[in-house]
């Protein structure tokens, strides 16, 4: 995009630039870098292609439960960037963007072309998750630094001896939130994940031959080789069947001999956070889960709860993307997990 704009600005024909030698070299090095970073697209192309098509279907029609959204720019500013680089750096980056746009030099426009176009496209997508905004983070940092340098120079001039000291203090203030968040992340990573806690509890409290239902984010492996572990609602996250639910009622699971159910909040609340207006087929799934949860609360015994939240709260339905949420409300990583015993 920058090469296209640069050639057009000089009065040349930009299309040969896009198809010329430098572009071919760019795509060659891109392919080499992609292969080195993701070798399985060649080593296991069949699995790669299947997952690629699944992701493609999410963005082109089938949607993905709980992650649907429209006009997502506010979401990315708040969660993808605000909770990521922090409000001070985001504010400096926004002011820096205004500064560069107010000075429409070619190099400023070339530099901003990618992050602005990418952010615009991400906002229009019908799927939203904080990681989609990661490619523009380097630009956010550079634009924030540009604004701080301009601001200090504007206030103190070129010769003031305090200029560099003030710039250092402002720089520390801007980068402190992501640094502190990184330290908090490392601390939480050292704590037992809720799924580890649930597995430890199961080994001590569940018979090795028990039949257990687990939801999508539990990863319970069983206590012995005789353990029967079955995934609850295998089709729910399969976009090839448009997320149609295969969840059964509680009585059916009892008749099939299941004794325990491990439910994680990510699985359950992704369903409850779905936007039926976007995909009407989700309505029946939501109603089915509401009935199932009501049956659990009414006739099953809650025997254990493993929560990552310091206040014991639940997942925010307006932002089910757990990695983008604040780390300061957590005491460990992993989803909240409830364990139910199905009484005969």
């Amino acid at each position: 995009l920058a090469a296209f704009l640069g050639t057009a600005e000089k009065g040349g024909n930009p299309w040969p630039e896009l198809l010329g030698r430098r572009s071919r070299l760019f795509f060659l090095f891109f392919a080499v870098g992609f292969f080195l970073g993701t070798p399985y697209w060649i080593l296991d192309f069949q699995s790669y292609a299947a997952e690629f098509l699944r992701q493609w279907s999410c963005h082109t029609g089938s949607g993905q439960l709980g992650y649907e959204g429209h006009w997502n720019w506010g979401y990315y500013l708040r969660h993808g960037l605000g909770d990521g680089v922090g409000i001070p750096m985001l504010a400096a980056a926004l002011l820096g963007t205004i500064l560069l746009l107010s000075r429409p030099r070619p190099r400023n426009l070339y530099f901003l072309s990618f992050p602005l176009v990418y952010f615009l496209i991400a906002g229009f997508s019908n799927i939203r998750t904080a990681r989609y905004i990661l490619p523009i983070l380097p630009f956010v940092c550079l634009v924030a630094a540009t604004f701080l340098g301009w601001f200090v120079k504007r206030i103190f001039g070129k010769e003031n001896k305090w200029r560099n000291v003030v710039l250092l203090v402002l720089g520390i203030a801007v980068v402190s939130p992501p640094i502190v968040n990184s330290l908090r992340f490392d601390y939480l990573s050292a704590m037992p994940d809720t799924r580890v806690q649930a597995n430890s509890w199961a080994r001590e409290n569940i018979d090795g031959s028990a039949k257990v239902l687990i939801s999508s984010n539990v990863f319970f492996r069983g206590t012995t080789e005789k353990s029967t572990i079955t995934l609850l609602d295998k089709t729910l996250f399969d976009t090839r069947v448009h997320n149609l639910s295969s969840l059964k009622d509680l009585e059916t699971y009892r008749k099939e001999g299941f004794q325990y159910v491990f439910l994680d909040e990510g699985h359950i609340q992704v369903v409850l956070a779905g936007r039926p207006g976007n995909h009407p087929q989700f309505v029946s799934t939501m109603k089915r889960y509401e009935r199932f949860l009501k049956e659990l609360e009414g006739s099953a015994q809650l025997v254990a709860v493993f929560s990552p939240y310091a206040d014991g709260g639940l997942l925010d339905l307006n932002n089910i993307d757990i990695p983008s949420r604040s780390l300061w409300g957590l005491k460990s990583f992993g989803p909240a997990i409830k364990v139910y015993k199905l009484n005969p």
Side-chain angles (χ1 to χ4, degrees):
L1 181 57
F4 185 93
L5 293 175
T7 305
E9 188 268 334
K10 294 176 182 178
N13 185 351
W15 297 108
E17 181 68 26
L18 291 181
L19 303 174
R21 178 174 175 273
R22 287 193 296 180
S23 292
R24 293 196 297 270
L25 283 175
F26 167 80
F27 285 109
L28 173 63
F29 284 114
F30 176 85
V32 171
F34 185 80
F35 172 71
L36 293 176
T38 315
Y40 286 97
W41 80 279
I42 289 180
L43 301 178
D44 188 7
F45 182 77
Q46 185 175 0
S47 297
Y48 170 83
E51 180 61 21
F52 179 86
L53 292 175
R54 188 185 75 83
Q55 291 292 334
W56 181 264
S57 67
C58 288
H59 289 272
T60 57
S62 69
Q64 189 169 1
L65 272 173
Y67 291 89
E68 308 88 18
H70 294 293
W71 312 100
N72 299 315
W73 301 289
Y75 170 85
Y76 285 123
L77 285 174
R78 178 184 174 187
H79 297 296
L81 297 175
D83 291 340
V85 298
I87 298 301
M89 186 178 293
L90 176 59
L94 292 175
L95 292 172
T97 301
I98 295 173
L99 174 66
L100 292 178
L101 289 176
S102 68
R103 299 177 170 186
R105 300 171 183 170
R107 65 178 184 180
N108 292 347
L109 298 180
Y110 303 158
F111 178 76
L112 289 176
S113 59
F114 170 76
L116 289 182
V117 171
Y118 185 92
F119 185 74
L120 183 67
I121 293 173
F124 278 120
S125 174
N126 66 338
I127 301 293
R128 65 184 190 186
T129 181
R131 69 178 181 271
Y132 288 166
I133 211 66
L134 288 177
I136 72 170
L137 291 188
F139 295 89
V140 169
C141 297
L142 291 172
V143 174
T146 299
F147 172 76
L148 291 182
W150 172 86
F151 177 76
V152 172
K153 182 178 178 181
R154 181 84 172 185
I155 298 299
F156 292 92
K158 294 183 178 180
E159 306 299 331
N160 193 303
K161 63 180 181 179
W162 293 104
R163 187 185 69 173
N164 290 338
V165 175
V166 173
L167 183 60
L168 177 63
V169 171
L170 288 176
I172 292 174
V174 165
V175 301
S176 290
I179 290 176
V180 172
N181 277 340
S182 294
L183 295 175
R184 178 66 176 173
F185 181 91
D186 293 340
Y187 169 79
L188 292 173
S189 297
M191 299 294 104
D193 188 288
T194 55
R195 289 161 288 197
V196 174
Q197 298 173 38
N199 271 272
S200 298
W201 178 90
R203 291 190 183 95
E204 296 177 2
N205 295 277
I206 295 181
D207 182 82
S209 60
K211 293 186 68 174
V212 179
L213 281 169
I214 63 171
S215 55
S216 61
N217 296 309
V218 173
F219 307 132
F220 178 51
R221 295 294 182 258
T223 55
T224 70
E225 292 182 358
K226 296 181 179 180
S227 300
T228 302
I229 311 300
T230 301
L231 181 63
L232 182 75
D233 202 350
K234 295 180 180 180
T235 61
L236 178 64
F237 297 102
D238 190 345
T239 57
R240 293 170 299 180
V241 294
H242 300 286
N243 303 100
L244 291 178
S245 175
S246 57
L247 182 72
K248 304 173 185 177
D249 60 73
L250 200 58
E251 186 58 32
T252 300
Y253 288 124
R254 281 198 181 98
K255 291 179 180 179
E256 292 176 354
F258 288 100
Q259 298 160 273
Y260 291 91
V261 178
F262 283 66
L263 282 182
D264 74 89
E265 63 172 352
H267 182 115
I268 297 301
Q269 297 198 43
V270 158
V271 177
L272 301 183
R275 294 169 174 80
N278 295 345
H279 301 283
Q281 71 268 24
F282 293 168
V283 175
S284 61
T285 297
M286 295 174 69
K287 291 181 177 178
R288 181 177 295 191
Y289 269 82
E290 288 171 351
R291 288 194 299 268
F292 181 74
L293 293 175
K294 189 175 181 180
E295 291 174 350
L296 271 180
E297 297 296 336
S299 62
Q301 179 185 358
L302 180 64
V303 293
V305 176
F306 306 94
S307 175
Y309 305 113
D311 61 359
L314 297 175
L315 186 65
D316 180 5
L317 290 181
N318 292 318
N319 179 27
I320 65 168
D321 193 23
I322 295 177
S324 75
R325 303 183 71 209
S326 173
L327 299 174
W328 297 96
L330 301 177
K331 60 183 180 182
S332 65
F333 283 133
I337 298 172
K338 291 184 177 182
V339 184
Y340 292 90
K341 184 176 182 180
L342 304 186
N343 299 317

